[in-house]
Amino acid sequence: MKLGRASTKVSGDAASSIVRFGLFELDLRTGELRKQGVKVRLQEQPFQVLAMLIERPGELVTREELKERLWPAAVFVDFDHGLGKAVSKIRGALGDLAESPRFVETLERRGYRFIAPVERIAPAPRRDRAAVARLIGDQAAIPLGEGEHLAGRDPACAVWIDSSFVSRRHARLVVDDLGVMIEDLDSHNGTFVNGQRIDSRCRLADRDEIRIGPARLVLCLSEDDDTATLPR
């Protein structure tokens, strides 16, 4: 078995303001919505409506306020249609229902209110994006920058494992401001974290052990720690 590194995709700057509610995180700087670390598609206008509601959780945001900020030049009919469509898309993205809302409550003819608890997350300190995390293996220490990294038998994978027991595209690791997430890509032999086979996306912690086929890898999140070794 050979273990090595091919290529890495690196994303842009880190977010400066992240808001968490339920299973979701909203990045007010980059305009991204994520559920358990996985990006959820939300168009620009619905995002702006959601951001306005989250700015004042538990308070009524009136239709007039929404129109003034987001539809200042629209006639009433266009605004009414646009707002209704935006709120519908927000609910679709959040899995929310107008009849029994968990996030966005409608106040008839007045506006909307965000009703879920909101937590603001301080951004992580700036770090060298070329080495946010490392995978420590028997034969290599693989640095992981921010972004997506594929692990598998295909030599084009960022984490290349040359073994017939490993699928060509076996697993995906995603590095972001919240840490590192791993996901099995329907591989034949599975992906294991600390001895347990995962069947959904999984957030990793420092020193978690990952097994992909015969490869055993330890995640190291401390940039200054050069003592991490593979457990016996």
Side-chain angles (χ1 to χ4, degrees), residues 17-76:
S17 182
I18 299 176
V19 179
R20 177 181 294 159
F21 53 93
L23 300 176
F24 295 91
E25 286 139 13
L26 189 73
D27 189 326
L28 298 172
R29 181 178 180 274
T30 65
E32 293 176 305
L33 174 68
R34 296 180 183 274
K35 181 178 181 181
Q36 293 183 306
V38 180
K39 190 171 180 179
V40 178
R41 177 174 168 80
L42 190 62
Q43 296 172 335
E44 175 66 17
Q45 211 157 46
F47 175 86
Q48 293 295 338
V49 173
L50 180 57
M52 279 190 68
L53 298 178
I54 281 181
E55 284 176 8
R56 291 156 49 190
E59 298 181 23
L60 167 67
V61 177
T62 67
R63 293 169 59 84
E64 290 75 17
E65 290 175 289
L66 290 161
K67 183 179 188 302
E68 182 178 348
R69 186 187 294 190
L70 303 179
W71 286 272
V75 299
F76 179 79

Short mmCIF file of all heavy atoms in Angstrom, two decimals, residues 17-76:
data_model
loop_
_atom_site.label_atom_id
_atom_site.label_comp_id
_atom_site.label_asym_id
_atom_site.label_seq_id
_atom_site.Cartn_x
_atom_site.Cartn_y
_atom_site.Cartn_z
N SER A 17 -18.29 36.52 10.28
CA SER A 17 -19.48 36.53 11.12
C SER A 17 -20.34 35.32 10.79
O SER A 17 -20.94 35.26 9.72
CB SER A 17 -20.27 37.83 10.89
OG SER A 17 -21.40 37.87 11.72
N ILE A 18 -20.40 34.37 11.70
CA ILE A 18 -21.19 33.15 11.51
C ILE A 18 -22.25 33.06 12.59
O ILE A 18 -21.97 33.28 13.77
CB ILE A 18 -20.29 31.90 11.54
CG1 ILE A 18 -19.25 31.97 10.41
CG2 ILE A 18 -21.11 30.63 11.41
CD1 ILE A 18 -18.26 30.84 10.42
N VAL A 19 -23.47 32.75 12.18
CA VAL A 19 -24.60 32.62 13.08
C VAL A 19 -25.09 31.19 13.05
O VAL A 19 -25.26 30.61 11.97
CB VAL A 19 -25.74 33.58 12.68
CG1 VAL A 19 -26.92 33.43 13.62
CG2 VAL A 19 -25.26 35.03 12.69
N ARG A 20 -25.33 30.60 14.21
CA ARG A 20 -25.78 29.21 14.30
C ARG A 20 -27.19 29.17 14.86
O ARG A 20 -27.52 29.86 15.82
CB ARG A 20 -24.84 28.40 15.18
CG ARG A 20 -25.28 26.94 15.37
CD ARG A 20 -24.31 26.21 16.27
NE ARG A 20 -23.00 26.09 15.64
CZ ARG A 20 -21.87 25.86 16.33
NH1 ARG A 20 -21.90 25.78 17.65
NH2 ARG A 20 -20.73 25.74 15.70
N PHE A 21 -28.04 28.33 14.25
CA PHE A 21 -29.39 28.08 14.77
C PHE A 21 -29.78 26.67 14.39
O PHE A 21 -29.64 26.26 13.25
CB PHE A 21 -30.40 29.10 14.22
CG PHE A 21 -30.41 29.22 12.73
CD1 PHE A 21 -31.29 28.48 11.95
CD2 PHE A 21 -29.54 30.09 12.09
CE1 PHE A 21 -31.29 28.59 10.57
CE2 PHE A 21 -29.53 30.21 10.69
CZ PHE A 21 -30.41 29.46 9.94
N GLY A 22 -30.22 25.88 15.36
CA GLY A 22 -30.54 24.48 15.10
C GLY A 22 -29.33 23.76 14.52
O GLY A 22 -28.23 23.86 15.05
N LEU A 23 -29.55 23.06 13.41
CA LEU A 23 -28.46 22.34 12.74
C LEU A 23 -27.77 23.21 11.70
O LEU A 23 -26.88 22.74 10.99
CB LEU A 23 -29.01 21.09 12.06
CG LEU A 23 -29.68 20.05 12.97
CD1 LEU A 23 -30.25 18.91 12.13
CD2 LEU A 23 -28.71 19.51 14.00
N PHE A 24 -28.15 24.49 11.62
CA PHE A 24 -27.69 25.35 10.53
C PHE A 24 -26.67 26.37 11.00
O PHE A 24 -26.65 26.79 12.16
CB PHE A 24 -28.89 26.09 9.92
CG PHE A 24 -29.88 25.19 9.24
CD1 PHE A 24 -30.96 24.68 9.95
CD2 PHE A 24 -29.73 24.84 7.91
CE1 PHE A 24 -31.88 23.85 9.33
CE2 PHE A 24 -30.65 24.00 7.29
CZ PHE A 24 -31.72 23.50 8.00
N GLU A 25 -25.83 26.79 10.05
CA GLU A 25 -24.91 27.90 10.24
C GLU A 25 -25.03 28.84 9.04
O GLU A 25 -25.03 28.38 7.90
CB GLU A 25 -23.46 27.40 10.36
CG GLU A 25 -23.17 26.75 11.69
CD GLU A 25 -22.31 25.51 11.53
OE1 GLU A 25 -21.75 25.32 10.42
OE2 GLU A 25 -22.20 24.73 12.48
N LEU A 26 -25.17 30.12 9.32
CA LEU A 26 -25.31 31.13 8.28
C LEU A 26 -24.10 32.04 8.33
O LEU A 26 -23.81 32.65 9.36
CB LEU A 26 -26.60 31.93 8.51
CG LEU A 26 -27.01 32.89 7.39
CD1 LEU A 26 -27.53 32.11 6.20
CD2 LEU A 26 -28.08 33.85 7.88
N ASP A 27 -23.39 32.10 7.21
CA ASP A 27 -22.22 32.97 7.11
C ASP A 27 -22.67 34.29 6.49
O ASP A 27 -22.94 34.37 5.29
CB ASP A 27 -21.15 32.29 6.23
CG ASP A 27 -19.83 33.02 6.26
OD1 ASP A 27 -19.85 34.27 6.36
OD2 ASP A 27 -18.79 32.36 6.19
N LEU A 28 -22.75 35.32 7.31
CA LEU A 28 -23.27 36.60 6.87
C LEU A 28 -22.29 37.34 5.96
O LEU A 28 -22.68 38.28 5.28
CB LEU A 28 -23.60 37.48 8.09
CG LEU A 28 -24.69 36.91 9.00
CD1 LEU A 28 -24.81 37.73 10.27
CD2 LEU A 28 -26.03 36.85 8.28
N ARG A 29 -21.05 36.91 5.95
CA ARG A 29 -20.05 37.58 5.11
C ARG A 29 -19.99 36.98 3.71
O ARG A 29 -19.95 37.70 2.72
CB ARG A 29 -18.66 37.50 5.75
CG ARG A 29 -17.57 38.18 4.95
CD ARG A 29 -16.24 38.11 5.68
NE ARG A 29 -15.19 38.76 4.92
CZ ARG A 29 -14.48 38.19 3.97
NH1 ARG A 29 -14.71 36.92 3.67
NH2 ARG A 29 -13.54 38.85 3.32
N THR A 30 -20.00 35.66 3.63
CA THR A 30 -19.85 35.01 2.32
C THR A 30 -21.20 34.66 1.69
O THR A 30 -21.24 34.26 0.52
CB THR A 30 -19.03 33.71 2.45
OG1 THR A 30 -19.76 32.77 3.26
CG2 THR A 30 -17.68 34.00 3.09
N GLY A 31 -22.30 34.78 2.45
CA GLY A 31 -23.61 34.46 1.90
C GLY A 31 -23.87 32.98 1.77
O GLY A 31 -24.60 32.55 0.87
N GLU A 32 -23.32 32.18 2.69
CA GLU A 32 -23.48 30.73 2.62
C GLU A 32 -24.31 30.21 3.79
O GLU A 32 -24.15 30.67 4.93
CB GLU A 32 -22.12 30.04 2.63
CG GLU A 32 -21.29 30.31 1.38
CD GLU A 32 -19.92 29.67 1.48
OE1 GLU A 32 -19.19 29.94 2.46
OE2 GLU A 32 -19.57 28.89 0.58
N LEU A 33 -25.17 29.26 3.49
CA LEU A 33 -25.95 28.54 4.50
C LEU A 33 -25.47 27.10 4.50
O LEU A 33 -25.35 26.47 3.45
CB LEU A 33 -27.44 28.61 4.15
CG LEU A 33 -28.38 27.79 5.04
CD1 LEU A 33 -28.44 28.36 6.46
CD2 LEU A 33 -29.79 27.75 4.42
N ARG A 34 -25.18 26.58 5.70
CA ARG A 34 -24.74 25.19 5.82
C ARG A 34 -25.58 24.45 6.86
O ARG A 34 -26.00 25.03 7.86
CB ARG A 34 -23.26 25.12 6.22
CG ARG A 34 -22.32 25.69 5.17
CD ARG A 34 -20.87 25.60 5.59
NE ARG A 34 -19.99 26.22 4.62
CZ ARG A 34 -19.50 25.60 3.55
NH1 ARG A 34 -19.78 24.32 3.36
NH2 ARG A 34 -18.73 26.23 2.69
N LYS A 35 -25.79 23.17 6.60
CA LYS A 35 -26.48 22.29 7.54
C LYS A 35 -25.51 21.19 7.93
O LYS A 35 -25.11 20.39 7.08
CB LYS A 35 -27.74 21.70 6.93
CG LYS A 35 -28.51 20.79 7.90
CD LYS A 35 -29.78 20.26 7.27
CE LYS A 35 -30.54 19.38 8.25
NZ LYS A 35 -31.78 18.82 7.65
N GLN A 36 -25.11 21.16 9.21
CA GLN A 36 -24.12 20.21 9.70
C GLN A 36 -22.87 20.21 8.80
O GLN A 36 -22.31 19.18 8.48
CB GLN A 36 -24.72 18.81 9.79
CG GLN A 36 -25.81 18.70 10.86
CD GLN A 36 -26.36 17.31 10.99
OE1 GLN A 36 -26.81 16.71 10.02
NE2 GLN A 36 -26.34 16.77 12.19
N GLY A 37 -22.45 21.39 8.41
CA GLY A 37 -21.24 21.55 7.62
C GLY A 37 -21.41 21.41 6.12
O GLY A 37 -20.49 21.69 5.36
N VAL A 38 -22.60 21.02 5.67
CA VAL A 38 -22.84 20.81 4.24
C VAL A 38 -23.60 22.01 3.68
O VAL A 38 -24.63 22.42 4.22
CB VAL A 38 -23.65 19.53 3.99
CG1 VAL A 38 -23.89 19.33 2.50
CG2 VAL A 38 -22.92 18.32 4.58
N LYS A 39 -23.10 22.55 2.59
CA LYS A 39 -23.70 23.76 2.02
C LYS A 39 -25.10 23.49 1.51
O LYS A 39 -25.36 22.50 0.84
CB LYS A 39 -22.81 24.30 0.90
CG LYS A 39 -23.23 25.68 0.41
CD LYS A 39 -22.19 26.25 -0.55
CE LYS A 39 -22.60 27.62 -1.04
NZ LYS A 39 -21.58 28.19 -1.96
N VAL A 40 -26.02 24.40 1.83
CA VAL A 40 -27.41 24.34 1.37
C VAL A 40 -27.62 25.49 0.38
O VAL A 40 -27.29 26.64 0.69
CB VAL A 40 -28.40 24.48 2.54
CG1 VAL A 40 -29.83 24.47 2.04
CG2 VAL A 40 -28.18 23.36 3.56
N ARG A 41 -28.16 25.19 -0.76
CA ARG A 41 -28.36 26.22 -1.80
C ARG A 41 -29.43 27.21 -1.36
O ARG A 41 -30.54 26.82 -0.98
CB ARG A 41 -28.75 25.56 -3.12
CG ARG A 41 -29.05 26.57 -4.23
CD ARG A 41 -29.28 25.85 -5.55
NE ARG A 41 -29.84 26.74 -6.55
CZ ARG A 41 -29.11 27.60 -7.26
NH1 ARG A 41 -27.82 27.68 -7.05
NH2 ARG A 41 -29.67 28.38 -8.16
N LEU A 42 -29.09 28.49 -1.41
CA LEU A 42 -30.05 29.56 -1.10
C LEU A 42 -29.67 30.77 -1.93
O LEU A 42 -28.55 31.28 -1.83
CB LEU A 42 -30.02 29.90 0.39
CG LEU A 42 -31.14 30.83 0.89
CD1 LEU A 42 -32.51 30.17 0.69
CD2 LEU A 42 -30.94 31.19 2.35
N GLN A 43 -30.59 31.24 -2.77
CA GLN A 43 -30.32 32.34 -3.67
C GLN A 43 -30.12 33.66 -2.89
O GLN A 43 -30.46 33.76 -1.71
CB GLN A 43 -31.44 32.47 -4.68
CG GLN A 43 -31.55 31.27 -5.61
CD GLN A 43 -32.78 31.32 -6.49
OE1 GLN A 43 -33.78 31.95 -6.16
NE2 GLN A 43 -32.72 30.63 -7.63
N GLU A 44 -29.60 34.66 -3.59
CA GLU A 44 -29.19 35.91 -2.95
C GLU A 44 -30.33 36.61 -2.23
O GLU A 44 -30.19 37.03 -1.08
CB GLU A 44 -28.57 36.84 -4.01
CG GLU A 44 -28.20 38.22 -3.49
CD GLU A 44 -27.08 38.19 -2.47
OE1 GLU A 44 -26.36 37.17 -2.38
OE2 GLU A 44 -26.93 39.18 -1.75
N GLN A 45 -31.48 36.78 -2.88
CA GLN A 45 -32.55 37.54 -2.25
C GLN A 45 -33.13 36.83 -1.03
O GLN A 45 -33.30 37.45 0.02
CB GLN A 45 -33.65 37.85 -3.27
CG GLN A 45 -34.36 39.18 -2.98
CD GLN A 45 -35.01 39.75 -4.22
OE1 GLN A 45 -35.68 39.02 -4.96
NE2 GLN A 45 -34.84 41.04 -4.45
N PRO A 46 -33.42 35.52 -1.10
CA PRO A 46 -33.85 34.82 0.12
C PRO A 46 -32.80 34.89 1.22
O PRO A 46 -33.16 35.04 2.40
CB PRO A 46 -34.05 33.37 -0.36
CG PRO A 46 -34.35 33.49 -1.80
CD PRO A 46 -33.54 34.65 -2.29
N PHE A 47 -31.52 34.82 0.85
CA PHE A 47 -30.47 34.95 1.86
C PHE A 47 -30.54 36.31 2.55
O PHE A 47 -30.42 36.40 3.78
CB PHE A 47 -29.09 34.76 1.23
CG PHE A 47 -27.97 35.00 2.20
CD1 PHE A 47 -27.52 33.99 3.03
CD2 PHE A 47 -27.39 36.26 2.32
CE1 PHE A 47 -26.50 34.22 3.96
CE2 PHE A 47 -26.38 36.50 3.24
CZ PHE A 47 -25.93 35.48 4.05
N GLN A 48 -30.74 37.37 1.79
CA GLN A 48 -30.81 38.71 2.37
C GLN A 48 -32.01 38.85 3.31
O GLN A 48 -31.92 39.50 4.35
CB GLN A 48 -30.87 39.76 1.25
CG GLN A 48 -29.61 39.86 0.41
CD GLN A 48 -28.41 40.33 1.21
OE1 GLN A 48 -28.55 40.96 2.26
NE2 GLN A 48 -27.22 40.01 0.73
N VAL A 49 -33.13 38.26 2.94
CA VAL A 49 -34.31 38.28 3.82
C VAL A 49 -34.00 37.54 5.12
O VAL A 49 -34.28 38.03 6.22
CB VAL A 49 -35.54 37.66 3.12
CG1 VAL A 49 -36.70 37.52 4.11
CG2 VAL A 49 -35.95 38.50 1.92
N LEU A 50 -33.41 36.35 5.00
CA LEU A 50 -33.06 35.56 6.18
C LEU A 50 -32.08 36.32 7.06
O LEU A 50 -32.20 36.33 8.30
CB LEU A 50 -32.47 34.22 5.76
CG LEU A 50 -32.05 33.26 6.87
CD1 LEU A 50 -33.22 32.95 7.80
CD2 LEU A 50 -31.47 31.98 6.29
N ALA A 51 -31.09 36.98 6.45
CA ALA A 51 -30.11 37.74 7.22
C ALA A 51 -30.79 38.87 8.00
O ALA A 51 -30.45 39.13 9.15
CB ALA A 51 -29.04 38.29 6.29
N MET A 52 -31.75 39.55 7.38
CA MET A 52 -32.48 40.62 8.08
C MET A 52 -33.24 40.08 9.28
O MET A 52 -33.26 40.69 10.35
CB MET A 52 -33.44 41.32 7.12
CG MET A 52 -32.80 42.35 6.23
SD MET A 52 -34.02 43.35 5.34
CE MET A 52 -34.78 44.29 6.69
N LEU A 53 -33.88 38.92 9.11
CA LEU A 53 -34.64 38.33 10.22
C LEU A 53 -33.71 37.92 11.36
O LEU A 53 -34.03 38.12 12.54
CB LEU A 53 -35.44 37.13 9.72
CG LEU A 53 -36.50 37.40 8.66
CD1 LEU A 53 -37.17 36.10 8.23
CD2 LEU A 53 -37.54 38.40 9.15
N ILE A 54 -32.55 37.36 11.01
CA ILE A 54 -31.62 36.87 12.02
C ILE A 54 -30.92 38.03 12.74
O ILE A 54 -30.46 37.86 13.87
CB ILE A 54 -30.61 35.89 11.36
CG1 ILE A 54 -31.29 34.54 11.18
CG2 ILE A 54 -29.35 35.73 12.17
CD1 ILE A 54 -30.43 33.48 10.56
N GLU A 55 -30.84 39.18 12.09
CA GLU A 55 -30.27 40.35 12.76
C GLU A 55 -31.06 40.72 14.01
O GLU A 55 -30.51 41.26 14.97
CB GLU A 55 -30.25 41.55 11.81
CG GLU A 55 -29.17 41.51 10.76
CD GLU A 55 -29.27 42.67 9.79
OE1 GLU A 55 -30.12 43.59 10.04
OE2 GLU A 55 -28.55 42.68 8.79
N ARG A 56 -32.37 40.41 14.00
CA ARG A 56 -33.24 40.76 15.13
C ARG A 56 -34.09 39.56 15.53
O ARG A 56 -35.29 39.54 15.35
CB ARG A 56 -34.14 41.94 14.73
CG ARG A 56 -33.37 43.24 14.56
CD ARG A 56 -34.09 44.22 13.67
NE ARG A 56 -35.50 44.39 14.02
CZ ARG A 56 -36.37 45.06 13.26
NH1 ARG A 56 -35.97 45.57 12.11
NH2 ARG A 56 -37.62 45.18 13.64
N PRO A 57 -33.46 38.51 16.06
CA PRO A 57 -34.21 37.30 16.41
C PRO A 57 -35.27 37.60 17.46
O PRO A 57 -35.03 38.35 18.41
CB PRO A 57 -33.13 36.35 16.95
CG PRO A 57 -32.00 37.25 17.36
CD PRO A 57 -32.04 38.41 16.42
N GLY A 58 -36.44 37.01 17.28
CA GLY A 58 -37.54 37.21 18.23
C GLY A 58 -38.33 38.48 18.03
O GLY A 58 -39.33 38.71 18.71
N GLU A 59 -37.91 39.33 17.07
CA GLU A 59 -38.60 40.60 16.82
C GLU A 59 -39.29 40.57 15.47
O GLU A 59 -38.86 39.90 14.54
CB GLU A 59 -37.61 41.76 16.84
CG GLU A 59 -36.91 41.98 18.16
CD GLU A 59 -35.97 43.17 18.09
OE1 GLU A 59 -36.18 44.06 17.23
OE2 GLU A 59 -35.01 43.22 18.88
N LEU A 60 -40.36 41.36 15.37
CA LEU A 60 -41.05 41.52 14.11
C LEU A 60 -40.20 42.36 13.15
O LEU A 60 -39.74 43.44 13.51
CB LEU A 60 -42.40 42.21 14.32
CG LEU A 60 -43.10 42.74 13.06
CD1 LEU A 60 -43.54 41.58 12.18
CD2 LEU A 60 -44.28 43.62 13.44
N VAL A 61 -39.99 41.84 11.95
CA VAL A 61 -39.40 42.62 10.87
C VAL A 61 -40.54 42.88 9.89
O VAL A 61 -41.09 41.95 9.29
CB VAL A 61 -38.25 41.87 10.17
CG1 VAL A 61 -37.70 42.68 9.00
CG2 VAL A 61 -37.14 41.55 11.16
N THR A 62 -40.92 44.14 9.76
CA THR A 62 -42.13 44.46 9.00
C THR A 62 -41.90 44.35 7.50
O THR A 62 -40.77 44.42 7.01
CB THR A 62 -42.60 45.89 9.31
OG1 THR A 62 -41.63 46.82 8.81
CG2 THR A 62 -42.78 46.08 10.81
N ARG A 63 -43.00 44.21 6.79
CA ARG A 63 -42.94 44.17 5.34
C ARG A 63 -42.38 45.48 4.79
O ARG A 63 -41.64 45.49 3.80
CB ARG A 63 -44.35 43.92 4.78
CG ARG A 63 -44.90 42.53 5.12
CD ARG A 63 -46.39 42.43 4.79
NE ARG A 63 -46.66 42.70 3.39
CZ ARG A 63 -46.56 41.79 2.41
NH1 ARG A 63 -46.21 40.54 2.72
NH2 ARG A 63 -46.84 42.11 1.17
N GLU A 64 -42.71 46.59 5.45
CA GLU A 64 -42.20 47.89 5.00
C GLU A 64 -40.68 47.95 5.13
O GLU A 64 -39.98 48.48 4.24
CB GLU A 64 -42.85 49.01 5.83
CG GLU A 64 -44.32 49.23 5.55
CD GLU A 64 -45.22 48.15 6.15
OE1 GLU A 64 -44.74 47.40 7.05
OE2 GLU A 64 -46.38 48.02 5.70
N GLU A 65 -40.12 47.40 6.21
CA GLU A 65 -38.67 47.40 6.39
C GLU A 65 -38.00 46.54 5.32
O GLU A 65 -36.95 46.92 4.76
CB GLU A 65 -38.31 46.86 7.77
CG GLU A 65 -38.67 47.77 8.92
CD GLU A 65 -38.41 47.13 10.26
OE1 GLU A 65 -39.16 46.19 10.62
OE2 GLU A 65 -37.46 47.55 10.93
N LEU A 66 -38.58 45.40 5.03
CA LEU A 66 -38.02 44.52 4.02
C LEU A 66 -38.06 45.17 2.64
O LEU A 66 -37.10 45.09 1.88
CB LEU A 66 -38.79 43.19 4.00
CG LEU A 66 -38.57 42.29 5.22
CD1 LEU A 66 -39.67 41.25 5.35
CD2 LEU A 66 -37.21 41.59 5.12
N LYS A 67 -39.17 45.84 2.34
CA LYS A 67 -39.28 46.51 1.04
C LYS A 67 -38.28 47.64 0.92
O LYS A 67 -37.61 47.81 -0.11
CB LYS A 67 -40.70 47.06 0.83
CG LYS A 67 -40.91 47.70 -0.54
CD LYS A 67 -42.33 48.19 -0.70
CE LYS A 67 -42.57 48.65 -2.14
NZ LYS A 67 -41.66 49.71 -2.59
N GLU A 68 -38.14 48.43 1.98
CA GLU A 68 -37.25 49.59 1.94
C GLU A 68 -35.79 49.18 1.69
O GLU A 68 -35.06 49.84 0.96
CB GLU A 68 -37.35 50.37 3.25
CG GLU A 68 -36.49 51.63 3.27
CD GLU A 68 -36.67 52.41 4.56
OE1 GLU A 68 -37.61 52.10 5.32
OE2 GLU A 68 -35.85 53.30 4.81
N ARG A 69 -35.38 48.05 2.30
CA ARG A 69 -33.99 47.64 2.15
C ARG A 69 -33.75 46.81 0.89
O ARG A 69 -32.73 46.99 0.22
CB ARG A 69 -33.51 46.86 3.36
CG ARG A 69 -32.01 46.57 3.28
CD ARG A 69 -31.49 45.64 4.36
NE ARG A 69 -31.56 46.22 5.67
CZ ARG A 69 -30.98 45.67 6.75
NH1 ARG A 69 -30.28 44.53 6.59
NH2 ARG A 69 -31.10 46.22 7.94
N LEU A 70 -34.67 45.89 0.58
CA LEU A 70 -34.39 44.91 -0.48
C LEU A 70 -35.14 45.15 -1.78
O LEU A 70 -34.70 44.70 -2.83
CB LEU A 70 -34.70 43.50 0.03
CG LEU A 70 -33.95 43.08 1.31
CD1 LEU A 70 -34.36 41.67 1.71
CD2 LEU A 70 -32.45 43.16 1.09
N TRP A 71 -36.28 45.84 -1.73
CA TRP A 71 -37.06 46.11 -2.94
C TRP A 71 -37.44 47.60 -3.02
O TRP A 71 -38.61 47.94 -3.18
CB TRP A 71 -38.35 45.27 -2.96
CG TRP A 71 -38.18 43.82 -3.25
CD1 TRP A 71 -38.16 43.21 -4.46
CD2 TRP A 71 -38.05 42.77 -2.27
NE1 TRP A 71 -38.02 41.85 -4.31
CE2 TRP A 71 -37.95 41.54 -2.98
CE3 TRP A 71 -38.00 42.74 -0.88
CZ2 TRP A 71 -37.80 40.32 -2.35
CZ3 TRP A 71 -37.85 41.53 -0.25
CH2 TRP A 71 -37.75 40.33 -0.97
N PRO A 72 -36.50 48.52 -2.88
CA PRO A 72 -36.86 49.93 -2.78
C PRO A 72 -37.53 50.50 -4.02
O PRO A 72 -38.35 51.43 -3.91
CB PRO A 72 -35.50 50.61 -2.53
CG PRO A 72 -34.49 49.67 -3.07
CD PRO A 72 -35.04 48.30 -2.81
N ALA A 73 -37.21 49.96 -5.19
CA ALA A 73 -37.77 50.53 -6.43
C ALA A 73 -38.93 49.72 -6.99
O ALA A 73 -39.49 50.07 -8.03
CB ALA A 73 -36.66 50.64 -7.48
N ALA A 74 -39.30 48.64 -6.32
CA ALA A 74 -40.33 47.75 -6.86
C ALA A 74 -41.73 48.29 -6.57
O ALA A 74 -41.98 48.90 -5.52
CB ALA A 74 -40.19 46.35 -6.25
N VAL A 75 -42.66 48.08 -7.52
CA VAL A 75 -44.06 48.38 -7.25
C VAL A 75 -44.59 47.33 -6.29
O VAL A 75 -43.99 46.27 -6.10
CB VAL A 75 -44.88 48.37 -8.56
CG1 VAL A 75 -44.36 49.43 -9.52
CG2 VAL A 75 -44.84 47.00 -9.22
N PHE A 76 -45.72 47.58 -5.67
CA PHE A 76 -46.20 46.71 -4.60
C PHE A 76 -46.41 45.27 -5.07
O PHE A 76 -46.05 44.33 -4.37
CB PHE A 76 -47.50 47.25 -4.01
CG PHE A 76 -48.05 46.37 -2.92
CD1 PHE A 76 -47.53 46.42 -1.65
CD2 PHE A 76 -49.06 45.45 -3.19
CE1 PHE A 76 -48.01 45.59 -0.64
CE2 PHE A 76 -49.54 44.61 -2.20
CZ PHE A 76 -49.01 44.69 -0.92
#
